Amino acid sequence: MRRLVYCIASTLDGFIAGPDGADPTGPDGFWPIADDYIKHLAAELPEILPVQARSALGITDEGTHFDTVLEGRRTYEIGLRAGLTDAYPHLRHLVFSRTMTESPDPAVELVATDPVAKVRELKDADGKDIWLLGGSELAGVLYPEIDQLIVKLSPLTVGSGIPLFSRDTAFDPRTWELTEHTVLQSGAAFLTYTRAAVA
């Protein structure tokens, strides 16, 4: 069965964006991206790089982890504001929204139904794992379905902002096993946690 993997960049204090929800790595962003970070992504997770980065880096490798990406409307709209209707044309791309009525791109599928039911349907289908890109609200709704976390931990604190999971996420303590880790010279760490089996 396919796994749902929440692969997300986080600050040391657990935030994925600033309070305004804008792209923290964009031209006006506060989140520095080191060269070794980009090189690691290109080598290990090329499929999570958006199309403009893949093009700039000459990446054509489809990757081995994911063939599907899921994101919420607010996260998707960050790309739209940057002029990208589909930042991940190399993946099946689903956007969860109850307010968007028409997809800006024929390759991007809008999903207005229950995210949990849709993810369970995707897990039952053939294919590689499913990448949950974000944002925080969608991750909160899908919290019970997440099988693996890949936290791209930045040596950065921001004090407040949008957390890894929405503050509306149900209280449901879970334990995770650290199954892989890489610490870069720049101080960023890639931490892979797999959900621990329930005894």
Side-chain angles (χ1 to χ4, degrees):
M1 179 181 276
R2 302 165 83 191
R3 297 175 300 180
L4 179 65
V5 181
Y6 188 22
C7 179
I8 189 75
S10 174
T11 64
L12 292 174
D13 47 353
F15 297 102
I16 62 174
D20 63 359
D23 181 0
T25 63
D28 299 319
F30 56 85
W31 201 311
I33 302 295
D35 288 343
D36 62 355
Y37 182 92
I38 296 296
K39 287 177 183 172
H40 183 80
L41 284 180
E44 302 297 329
L45 290 159
E47 61 266 55
I48 74 167
L49 287 166
V51 64
Q52 73 273 36
R54 289 171 62 87
S55 177
L57 295 168
I59 295 172
T60 56
D61 185 359
E62 66 179 30
T64 58
H65 298 279
F66 311 114
D67 60 12
T68 304
V69 59
L70 313 180
E71 61 181 328
R73 176 186 56 82
R74 287 188 184 97
T75 304
Y76 178 60
E77 287 178 342
I78 292 172
L80 285 182
R81 286 192 291 275
L84 292 172
T85 58
D86 185 3
Y88 306 98
H90 52 286
L91 302 173
R92 181 180 177 192
H93 192 165
L94 287 76
V95 173
F96 290 80
S97 174
R98 291 190 172 92
T99 57
M100 292 180 75
T101 56
E102 188 175 336
S103 174
D105 192 290
V108 175
E109 304 170 46
L110 291 183
V111 181
T113 55
D114 175 33
V116 170
K118 185 63 178 179
V119 163
R120 288 177 179 167
E121 175 190 314
L122 291 169
K123 282 183 174 183
D124 284 338
D126 291 333
K128 298 176 186 174
D129 285 341
I130 304 155
W131 171 32
L132 172 58
L133 167 60
S136 181
E137 287 184 25
L138 183 59
V141 171
L142 293 174
Y143 178 75
E145 294 298 317
I146 296 172
D147 303 295
Q148 192 174 73
L149 296 166
I150 300 176
V151 181
K152 301 173 289 177
L153 193 64
S154 176
L156 170 73
T157 56
V158 294
S160 66
I162 295 177
L164 203 61
F165 294 98
S166 164
R167 301 194 193 289
D168 295 329
T169 304
F171 180 73
D172 183 9
R174 293 173 182 253
T175 55
W176 300 81
E177 296 175 3
L178 181 64
T179 52
E180 192 175 331
H181 67 282
T182 302
V183 179
L184 305 179
Q185 186 72 34
S186 62
F190 286 74
L191 307 171
T192 301
Y193 292 93
T194 301
R195 196 160 94 184
V198 178

